[in-house]
Amino acid sequence: MQMLDKFPMEGGQKDPKQRIIPFLPGKILFRRSHIRDVAVKRLIPIDEYCKALIQLPPYISQCDEVLQFFETRPDDLAPPKE
């Protein structure tokens, strides 16, 4: 949402045909027993979103919001064993 606010033209707010910012795959509701299944189903759409995001012009692909989105967090380096 921050990117769409920051880049309204590229987000298609004025003209949907001009949108170059990809759509983030929507949330999927699930029960606790389906967490892994949902994660696997979302893997390809989220991978495609990330690839499309970094292929945008540098003024978008290297903006603070994108860099924060890809920023490594402590849990990424040492994920919980559960």
Side-chain angles (χ1 to χ4, degrees):
M1 294 305 297
Q2 292 173 349
M3 287 181 47
L4 297 176
D5 290 340
K6 189 171 185 172
F7 306 108
M9 175 105 66
E10 294 84 347
Q13 290 182 13
K14 296 181 181 182
D15 181 0
K17 293 177 186 174
Q18 298 292 322
R19 183 177 179 133
I20 61 170
I21 295 176
F23 288 95
L24 182 63
K27 293 181 180 180
I28 299 175
L29 299 176
F30 58 89
R31 297 187 303 259
R32 286 184 163 242
S33 62
H34 294 100
I35 292 172
R36 181 167 172 70
D37 293 339
V38 170
V40 169
K41 287 180 184 174
R42 291 193 57 159
L43 189 60
I44 291 173
I46 291 175
D47 181 58
E48 290 171 354
Y49 172 79
C50 292
K51 288 177 180 176
L53 194 60
I54 62 173
Q55 291 177 355
L56 292 173
Y59 72 96
I60 299 175
S61 65
Q62 297 175 22
C63 73
D64 288 337
E65 290 79 5
V66 173
L67 296 177
Q68 288 173 7
F69 181 80
F70 287 108
E71 186 175 303
T72 303
R73 298 180 181 175
D75 286 350
D76 296 333
L77 302 175
K81 297 188 189 241
E82 299 172 4

